[in-house]
Amino acid sequence: MINTFHTSTAAAIRRGKSRVVGTLAAAAVAGLAAFAQPAVADAAELKILSSFNSTQKPTFAVLERYIENVGKIGGDTVTFVVSGPEVVPIFEQLQPVSSGVFDALYTHPVFHAGEGGLALTVDAIAVDPIARRASGVWDYVDNFYQQKHGLKMVAMMSVSMYGYHLFTKEPLSDAGDLAGRKVRGTPTYHGVIRALGAEPVVLPGSEIYSALQKGIVDGAGWPAAGMVSMKHYEVANYRLRPTFGAATQPVFINLDSWNGLTNAEKSVLLEAGKLTELEMPWIGNQIQAEEDTRLDELGVEVQQLPADVAAKVQTAFIESIWELGTGCCGEAAAELRGIALKAGLTQ
């Protein structure tokens, strides 16, 4: 079980009233201003590949905030040129960053699960940016990616406290499940989809709309905010609650590119990561609240899972994520889970 400190902190952030995170983020902004670098002619320009584009507002907003914070802290010390999934498909993005075609990657690690996506397991770890660092979780993931992929992690940000959800064309069955239906989802969602009696179908996020429209799938898994920006409300009438998991999106820098930066440039990137990690649960919760209000207006009905089914979904998600981690990364996933368990951050 997640310990009381993390549970109470999570509850406070969900209400949008977390004095701890809010105060720390405000202090970070004030304190980090001292590190701001003046604009220079030879500022580092990094080509960053993103798995999300501006049409996917809640997830793309995380990268936007990180880049904004880089600018707040460092001025023009480091700038970014962003390329999205229309340039390189999401499941093919790790290699061109590892090889140096691009300098940086903003992604969800499940997209490279088969290549050693250990960071995907952080979705099963409590959204507590301070504890993730203090416990050693952050450093372990960083070291793994440096050794395995030649990538330096500079940020490990959560989209919000609300993680993921499923949305469907038809309501839940009388038993409160999705028995016999086909539901789109990357491997992140497969444990939940199966726990609800449905069959997982793997499709890129860009194909969800047409797949629902054509009846290829009966529902889909997606971050809890995103139905509005992707217009999924036009083809799905129901959203299932409660949500589950913690959508975690890292920023990685190619090690050769990283080693070519000055210490000041590195400091800007790392400090922006710390700040954005603190801010995003609160910012993401605001985005989620706005989305929920808009979906209510659009008539997308909330379907509450029965308590026993909801409990089964939460357990299935956590176990399936750690199973994915074991499958992709073996002993490393077991070691990371041990660190998180010791800190009371996972089950």
Side-chain angles (χ1 to χ4, degrees), residues 321-334:
I321 290 297
W322 285 115
E323 286 174 11
L324 274 175
T326 300
C328 79
C329 307
E331 186 60 31

Side-chain angles (χ1 to χ4, degrees), residues 266-287:
K266 291 176 181 178
S267 178
V268 167
L269 293 170
L270 289 170
E271 296 302 329
K274 289 179 183 178
L275 177 57
T276 312
E277 288 170 13
L278 285 171
E279 291 179 322
M280 275 315 304
W282 177 68
I283 294 170
N285 286 0
Q286 286 186 310
I287 293 172

